[in-house]
Amino acid sequence: MSIASRLDEIRSTLPTDGSVTLVAVSKFHPAEAIAGAYAAGQRDFGESRAQELVVKAPALPADIRWHFIGHLQTNKVRQVVAHASMIQSVDSLRLLQAINAESVRIGRTVDILLEAHVAAEQTKTGFSPDELMSLLTDDLIASLPGVCFRGIMGMASLTDDIERIRSDFEALRDIFLKLRCGVMETHPEFNVLSMGMSDDYLTAIESGSTMVRIGTDIFGPREY
Ligand SMILES: *Cc1c(COP(=O)(O)O)cnc(C)c1O
């Protein structure tokens, strides 16, 4: 099946009111595959490695919105801030401060999502819901003018147990809503709940996702 028809198939399963944004996760796939999806109307793409993003972004159309979704080391922040319209995988205060410093330096603001950790695996990165509640304060927001807090990103546990997956997504939605109705109440741009991948995105949408990140279902398996 072509990338265009896979995209069509996925779009047909998304809510028709446009409430869910599709990010095509193109990591490990060549620029030609991205160009194919672009020709089919796709504009949001996800990459997980800085060295890949810096090669692909200049080689592809400028109206692509690049989402950075991988673990980001502070020494790669400069490369990523130069190209990303949204950094979804912000998992430490140190990283947040590094992104802010670089954004301020180049005179822009970068949209970010705070990565929330609710899954069973200890290996997954991100803040616990309690950590997010104490991290995100008016003082922090005021101290980071180069950063626009847009919402939360998270993943479900690696399991076939659909009820476990659903409860992880509901936990992500709960922390998102708590923040949105609390400290972020006066920030209407805090409206992104990024959750759901190829195997679980329909469950994520049922649980309130506003952004799904789909790689394999669009581009096929990755060759690492
Ligand atoms: C790779 C990746 C995806 C896409 O996963 P698929 O199963 O290929 O759809 C989504 N989110 C993150 C954070 C990823 O690293």
Side-chain angles (χ1 to χ4, degrees), residues 24-214:
V25 175
S26 48
K27 63 186 185 193
F28 296 93
H29 292 285
E32 300 82 74
I34 299 172
Y38 182 90
Q42 183 65 27
R43 292 294 179 270
D44 291 275
F45 290 90
E47 289 287 337
S48 62
R49 299 188 305 173
Q51 65 268 36
E52 234 180 297
L53 180 63
V54 295
V55 173
K56 287 174 174 174
L60 285 153
D63 63 339
I64 286 180
R65 291 179 292 272
W66 296 102
H67 297 251
F68 194 82
I69 61 170
H71 180 64
L72 177 54
Q73 291 165 314
T74 48
N75 64 350
K76 303 279 174 62
V77 161
R78 185 164 288 193
Q79 293 175 317
V80 170
V81 167
H83 298 290
S85 69
M86 180 181 274
I87 301 176
Q88 299 207 3
S89 41
V90 177
D91 59 3
S92 73
L93 178 58
R94 206 166 95 87
L95 178 58
L96 201 50
Q97 289 164 335
I99 293 168
N100 177 68
E102 177 60 11
S103 316
V104 169
R105 190 186 73 84
I106 65 170
R108 59 170 294 210
T109 58
V110 179
D111 285 354
I112 67 103
L113 302 182
L114 294 166
E115 185 173 346
H117 176 112
V118 298
E121 294 86 36
Q122 287 306 318
T123 50
K124 287 212 168 87
T125 49
F127 299 98
S128 72
D130 284 346
E131 285 169 339
L132 283 173
M133 288 302 289
S134 48
L135 173 80
L136 202 50
T137 60
D138 291 328
D139 283 350
L140 181 82
I141 296 164
S143 73
L144 301 171
V147 162
C148 181
F149 290 90
R150 296 295 313 278
I152 294 292
M153 186 273 267
M155 279 175 259
S157 304
L158 248 156
T159 171
D160 292 331
D161 178 358
I162 183 80
E163 288 319 315
R164 174 67 210 240
I165 291 170
R166 190 182 301 279
S167 79
D168 285 348
F169 285 146
E170 288 173 353
L172 290 167
R173 178 198 56 201
D174 288 351
I175 182 64
F176 170 67
L177 290 178
K178 246 184 180 167
L179 294 168
R180 201 175 73 170
C181 303
V183 64
M184 300 311 286
E185 198 184 2
T186 54
H187 297 269
E189 69 280 4
F190 190 86
N191 59 7
V192 178
L193 178 55
S194 172
M195 58 184 195
M197 317 189 346
S198 290
D199 287 341
D200 56 19
Y201 77 91
L202 292 174
T203 307
I205 292 170
E206 285 166 13
S207 308
S209 173
T210 71
M211 184 175 275
V212 293
R213 311 176 307 267
I214 300 183

